[in-house]
Amino acid sequence: MDRDNGPRVRVPEQRAPEKPGTADALRFTVLGPVRAWRGSELLSSGSPQQRALLAALLLREGRTATASELIDAFWGEDPPSQALATIRTYASRLRKILGQDTLVSESGGYAIRTDRAALDLTLAQDLAGEAEKARAAGDRCQARTLINKVLGLWDGEALASVPGPYADNQRTRLEEWRLQLTETRMDLDLEVGCHAEAVSELTALTAAHPLRERLRELLMVALYRSGRQAEALAVYADTRRLLAEELGVDPRPELAQLQQRILRADEELARPADEPAPAPAPLRPAQLPATVPDFTGRSAFVAELGSRLATAEGSVMAVSAVAGIGGVGKTTLAVHVAHQARRHFPDGQLYVDLQGAGAREAEPETVLGSFLRALGTADSAIPDTLDERAALYRSTLDGRRILILLDNAHDAAQIRPLLPGTPGCAALVTSRVRMVDLAGAHLVDLDVMSPEEALQLFTRIVGDERVGAEREAALDVVAACGFLPLAIRIAASRLAARRTWTVSVLAAKLADERRRLDELQAGDLAVKATFELGYGQLEPAQARAFRLLGLADGPDISLAAAAALLNLDPHAAEDLLEALVDTSLVESAAPGRYRYHDLVRLYARACAERDEEPVERESALSRLLDFYLATAAGVYALERPGDRLADHREPTQYSGLTFADRHSAQDWLYTEANSLLACVRQSSGSGAVRRAVDLLWATKDLAESGANSKQYEAAAITMRDLARSSDDARAEGRALITLTNARLVAGRFDQAERDAQRAMRLARAVDDPLPSCWAPNDLGIIALYQNRHAEGEAYLEQAIANFRADGNRPGEASALCNLSRIHLAMGNTTSAVALAQQGIDIYDELGHALRGANGRYALGLALTQSGRFADATEQLHDALAVFRDSRQRLWEGMATFRLAEVDLAAGLPAQAATKSEQALAILRGIGGEWRRGNVLTVLGRALSEIGQPGRAQVCWREALEIYETLGSAEIETVRKLLVPTLPG
């Protein structure tokens, strides 16, 4: 906290004001300690009294201060007999430091002559004036930026340690101005839609300035807009009680009116009164893919769709749906039309590939989250459920003119939540199916090109000169392509890339029925025939790569993984992949990464089924699994030196990548997360289940990251079921431990306990050391969370013995740290500290950064309960830094929560409230309701201690609801906190 007892404002780093001109120019600060610089050199400003003279002259901003005025400023009504001589002495000393041209004598007084930009106060005043102008002009984002710059000029208390009545008065004035600026900045935060982020800072500010009603008003608005209506009303109740007790007055009318608006659930209060959207300068997304430069024909469709989009402003449901077979050019047409219509949608364009033809179409709630972010909604303001996201999406679009391109939709049900609901917006949909059940939509059926359009497209790609010389051969080519745009583009691209070929050569190749299918009818067979045309032109090695790469389930594949699947060195694999990119059969998603269009992937798999022996298909996926397992095990070993997984995992025939450090290893793990988990899910072949389970084990960090927790749990369930159906007790036991880990992260402890119990029984039956060690360790954690301390102690002592028997020192350290928490819960703080320190010593000896942070987390808890708050804070801060660096969002949130507990125990409730709010934001969507209940309980305690009991009661009631739903042991603790409002 600063000397004024106020919280530090969230602003940029403070710097001395920079004066334009020479490098040795003088600069001064009064918004903090009174200081002077010459260039980058800090000058000595002398004694406190001498600094008081400097401050008095600086604050006059160039005006002359007479001797009598300075004496009054220094000593008030009781100056010493030598006051004038003292002033002259101080002035003489300052003149030697600053120079005669800077500190001048005139009219019996003194003045400092300098540019306005040389003093931080005048610079702050100028910036504040610019901010007022920007706000008046409606540019709230610029105003907010300027106010932040003003606040960034403060460095603690203004005129720090400067004596005298004048300095005291000026200090009070400047602090009041600082608070007014802070209120303005917080008001702007709310106007630009940052209400969720503002709650924690406003909580701290109201604690520091409890009688300042404007801050209370802002906090009420921020809470209301964050969906926390009960807490907002509780703030009013707390304020009314406090004002009555301290001052004997009621809240000002504005605060009372705000309470009534909240009680009425005033919709206008949910956003700035003079704006249609939360942010004054909303983002203008421009997500449309690039249109093809050789777009050809389709003039009737372009005119029809363009006309519909141009009149969208007066239509409530301006939706056009383009349907047709794969490869007919739906996306190309839609993107082209959308680009032409951009001028009708000045507020932006959204685009998404809904992957409707794939095995796993995009989920509407995921797409809505992406759209809301693109529209400027903060992550913390995005709701969890589909219905809430859809409602917020429609509200965000209200009053804006935005075009939404929904490409490759699966069905009408998938896109309904993604449709705008207000005039001015429009949606353009492409799909393989006709959306006859999409009410109000304008349906367009896209057929193949006319012969003239097909020839024109072919000519634009190949060139006028080559086609003009062989027009009949060119007509034969487009006819053989079935006039399907994608087939024409593939054939033309291959011809354009081969300057030695003539059009006749290509026509002859396409006329050979062995090179293409005759089935150019409708539906998927037509799509398959189109791709067969390009596939038939591939060299054998290219065709093999095309077939086998299509077997992998992931959204894309890296060059290294593709090389493993193909059993080639990376250079040879890259040559093949780039050749496939040239034919448009494969897309280059990013440098070194490749993906299939979903229909092309299906076709590639059909080719593999037809042209590859089953053993070769299994071998390819086995090599991919080997590569992922070997690489992930290496990442695991870097994170956990000395862990025994390397000795107990299934052997692999194919080697993986190696990494120089843990950060590059983590980058690989999180980049490949979706592909890794997809590989696990499809590993059902003979001999693959055990390796897939070990891959899950090696990627445990994905479960705790938050980004991949649900996918990880789904993969663990799949592998558990596969192992059980194949009667593989060893694989099932390990799969159950990975599932236990996922459910611990989600806070579903009963399910986690059942999984761990079965895993332990299976491990004993097959004598598998991995689950034999980790199952009792996990059961001990679960017992801790459920307040079964004696049982948890027994489990963890068993785990320690098992880890030691297996020579697994990192596992032993984990169990020791968990046992520390059991001892702490049983009141044995001394042994808790010792056990945690033993675990940390092992981790540090082995070089465990991330797991060492888990140890420091446990030690921080023990030190907190021992009353060693400074030591606890140090340990938890160290742990928090590692968790953030390692992208472990669950543990980042929990470490922040534990720091809040330390602050509360140390008598710093305002800081505890701020950190609790931060923890709630970090843990959004991860950790489960039980952990959220714990954070709400601590937040309530902190709020109660800073004089906000009404809001505290709201937090405790929410926590109680959570605990009652879960049947948690914490029910009685929270009931006691709610005694004043609960019967019995």
Side-chain angles (χ1 to χ4, degrees), residues 225-508:
R225 291 183 185 168
S226 300
R228 299 160 71 174
Q229 181 181 10
E231 285 187 64
L233 293 170
V235 170
Y236 178 80
D238 291 337
T239 305
R240 183 177 183 181
R241 175 192 53 76
L242 183 66
L243 291 173
E245 292 176 354
E246 297 291 331
L247 305 177
V249 299
D250 289 329
R252 61 181 187 163
E254 293 87 350
L255 206 60
Q257 291 167 8
L258 178 60
Q259 181 218 21
Q260 292 301 312
R261 294 183 70 184
I262 293 173
L263 285 171
R264 294 194 305 269
D266 189 337
E267 292 183 3
E268 290 299 316
L269 187 59
R271 63 189 183 196
D274 59 342
E275 295 183 8
L283 296 179
R284 294 179 64 251
Q287 297 184 342
L288 294 178
T291 188
V292 294
D294 50 24
F295 182 85
T296 303
R298 310 294 201 187
S299 55
F301 291 114
V302 171
E304 178 182 357
L305 291 168
S307 174
R308 296 280 302 182
L309 294 178
T311 58
E313 186 173 2
S315 177
V316 175
M317 194 68 170
V319 180
S320 296
V322 180
I325 61 173
V328 80
K330 300 181 296 295
T331 298
T332 302
L333 171 64
V335 170
H336 181 77
V337 170
H339 274 283
Q340 287 197 334
R342 286 183 62 180
R343 59 192 175 88
H344 299 297
F345 302 93
D347 296 321
Q349 306 85 40
L350 297 169
Y351 170 85
V352 64
D353 179 1
L354 294 169
Q355 304 173 28
R360 296 181 179 88
E361 64 267 21
E363 296 180 355
E365 61 187 285
T366 303
V367 176
L368 285 170
S370 176
F371 279 179
L372 287 168
R373 292 184 190 94
L375 291 167
T377 306
D379 279 350
S380 57
I382 296 176
D384 292 329
T385 68
L386 172 61
D387 289 344
E388 288 176 325
R389 288 187 178 192
L392 178 59
Y393 169 69
R394 291 190 294 271
S395 298
T396 305
L397 292 178
D398 186 28
R400 301 168 75 173
R401 296 172 63 186
I402 288 179
L403 174 62
I404 302 98
L405 177 46
L406 305 173
D407 192 19
N408 196 8
H410 180 69
D411 55 22
Q414 184 189 26
I415 67 168
R416 283 193 186 97
L418 310 178
L419 298 177
T422 55
C425 294
L428 188 55
V429 184
T430 72
S431 176
R432 292 167 58 195
V433 298
R434 298 185 78 246
M435 298 209 172
V436 293
D437 54 344
L438 189 61
H442 174 66
L443 303 181
V444 174
D445 292 322
L446 192 60
D447 203 349
V448 297
M449 284 181 154
S450 68
E452 294 77 16
E453 289 176 336
L455 182 61
Q456 187 180 3
L457 173 60
F458 184 81
T459 303
R460 286 189 173 182
I461 298 173
V462 174
D464 288 329
E465 182 178 347
R466 296 174 76 183
V467 174
E470 299 180 272
R471 180 177 172 81
E472 290 302 319
L475 287 171
D476 290 340
V477 168
V478 296
C481 290
F483 308 114
L484 208 64
L486 182 56
I488 296 167
R489 186 173 296 279
I490 291 171
S493 297
R494 289 189 62 78
L495 181 59
R498 289 160 174 79
R499 304 303 301 176
T500 59
W501 283 14
T502 63
V503 181
S504 297
V505 169
L506 176 61

Side-chain angles (χ1 to χ4, degrees), residues 753-787:
E753 183 176 21
R754 288 193 296 271
D755 292 334
Q757 290 283 9
R758 179 169 172 81
M760 190 160 63
R761 291 194 299 271
L762 291 170
R764 288 171 180 165
V766 298
D767 193 25
D768 186 0
L770 279 181
S772 293
C773 294
W774 288 103
N777 185 68
D778 291 344
L779 287 167
I781 297 171
I782 295 165
L784 167 69
Y785 290 158
Q786 296 183 336
N787 291 334

